[in-house]
Amino acid sequence: MELGIVLVWLGLYLALGVLALPFASLLFSMTPDRGAGLAIPTAFAAIALFSYWIGQVQFGVLTALLAVLGLALFSGVALRRGVTIDTSRYRQAAIVFTLAYLLLILIRLYRPGAVPGGGEKFLDFGLLASLLRGSVLPPQDMWFAGEPVQYYYGGHMLAAVFAMLTDTAPRFAYNTALAGYFAAYVTAAWGLAGTLASELDRP
């Protein structure tokens, strides 16, 4: 795995979190951190939804750019409504995300390939490659030529969007996407735990 690609994807994830911060602050205005701990997962969810809707007509680099633009527009609306943003808490969330992301990158460095006995890795990589080859959703089934995939592919689609935004080959995008999803889950759990602790008046 290339170090430059790992850092580029980390930069993309954190930048998308910054872009989503006003929107997350509007969505989760009732939480103590104003949604700062959920900004990156919010970015993932918004971009996935926009990409899925637009991808029914056309799926490609333009789709990825329009999805990011859609997220920016939502955050712009939130800023116009005067949301309160907790930038200090987002910096903490970014640290949590970075540590979790790098942890899984280190784990995947040990055995980065899709190997027999590796669960659904062949399927996952195949769906990612099909999405990057296609031009509309749903992607073509790599095991049943000429037919669309009859399987869920949301996470694979989002990985393809990130790959297009960073011009990354599927063989690298697979692991960096896995690390990003893991880090997003960890960060979301951290943010929710902080909210619960605050509600229970725990430090």
Side-chain angles (χ1 to χ4, degrees):
M1 195 180 305
E2 300 288 337
L3 177 60
I5 294 173
V6 169
L7 296 178
V8 165
W9 278 61
L10 176 59
L12 173 68
Y13 291 143
L14 296 179
L16 290 176
V18 171
L19 186 61
L21 187 53
F23 182 43
S25 297
L26 179 64
L27 288 177
F28 305 105
S29 59
M30 73 296 297
T31 62
D33 67 356
R34 303 288 182 176
L38 296 172
I40 295 175
T42 298
F44 282 24
I47 288 176
L49 284 173
F50 284 130
S51 297
Y52 180 76
W53 293 331
I54 300 168
Q56 304 302 309
V57 178
Q58 193 268 339
F59 187 73
V61 176
L62 180 60
T63 308
L65 295 174
L66 288 175
V68 174
L69 178 61
L71 175 60
L73 289 174
F74 272 55
S75 281
V77 170
L79 287 172
R80 285 183 62 86
R81 295 185 62 175
V83 294
T84 302
I85 298 173
D86 190 340
T87 55
S88 174
R89 185 69 170 173
Y90 179 73
R91 286 194 293 271
Q92 295 173 22
I95 292 171
V96 171
F97 182 92
T98 300
L99 292 174
Y101 173 77
L102 294 177
L103 172 63
L104 200 70
I105 288 291
L106 288 173
I107 292 171
R108 294 299 298 153
L109 278 173
Y110 173 68
R111 201 169 192 184
V115 296
E120 294 189 340
K121 289 187 177 66
F122 283 115
L123 171 64
D124 292 336
F125 182 77
L127 284 172
L128 175 58
S130 291
L131 282 155
L132 289 170
R133 284 194 304 267
S135 59
V136 69
L137 298 178
Q140 188 178 91
D141 192 330
M142 65 281 186
W143 287 327
F144 195 7
E147 295 295 326
V149 166
Q150 300 292 324
Y151 193 73
Y152 57 87
Y153 58 89
H156 312 87
M157 179 201 67
L158 185 57
V161 168
F162 292 153
M164 288 184 283
L165 289 173
T166 57
D167 192 26
T168 304
R171 66 183 184 275
F172 297 119
Y174 178 78
N175 286 312
T176 44
L178 280 182
Y181 296 156
F182 172 75
Y185 288 132
V186 170
T187 307
W190 172 83
L192 291 172
T195 297
L196 290 174
S198 178
E199 289 294 325
L200 296 172
D201 198 25
R202 300 283 178 82

